Amino acid sequence: MTATSAKCQGYARIFTARAAAGGPLEARYDPTGTTITFRIFSSRATRIDPYLYRTALGSQKAAVIPLAKDSATNVWSASVPVSTLQGQYGITGPVYYAYRAWGPNWPYDPAG
């Protein structure tokens, strides 16, 4: 095992422990399928938003959901009811999403 692989394995254990504290880091429906929760880790971000889309390609974003940061774990998360996705944002099929993150090298600007 090289020093690099040992560092990666150590980081993976720490990362997994942090994620396990509040659940997996991903977008996931709750067991009833009525809410979707977005969770992502970042110790340096100052803001993270998932951008939601109605189709996989060629569409404008349908919604932007600001995530809240848990300062103890550095996990950002938000839960959104499926009824909100369908009624307010018109997302009725699969939920396509991409994360946008801001931090020290790219400060958040609400105008842009």
Side-chain angles (χ1 to χ4, degrees):
M1 180 180 336
T2 66
T4 302
S5 66
K7 285 181 187 176
C8 290
Q9 289 177 352
Y11 181 77
R13 281 192 294 271
I14 292 167
F15 191 78
T16 301
R18 285 183 178 159
L25 299 176
E26 60 189 0
R28 175 178 277 211
Y29 286 98
D30 70 346
T32 64
T34 59
T35 301
I36 187 167
T37 300
F38 297 90
R39 298 184 78 242
I40 188 168
F41 172 88
S42 176
S43 61
R44 305 258 323 181
T46 57
R47 181 181 175 110
I48 301 177
D49 297 337
Y51 283 46
L52 310 183
Y53 301 86
R54 291 183 192 96
T55 62
L57 297 171
S59 67
Q60 295 294 318
K61 66 183 178 270
V64 177
I65 309 295
L67 301 182
K69 181 181 181 183
D70 179 332
S71 58
T73 62
N74 291 317
V75 172
W76 296 74
S77 64
S79 295
V80 183
V82 171
S83 60
T84 300
L85 295 177
Q86 294 171 342
Q88 187 173 345
Y89 303 122
I91 301 172
T92 57
V95 178
Y96 300 98
Y97 66 98
Y99 288 107
R100 176 173 270 180
W102 293 265
N105 63 334
W106 189 34
Y108 175 71
D109 178 3

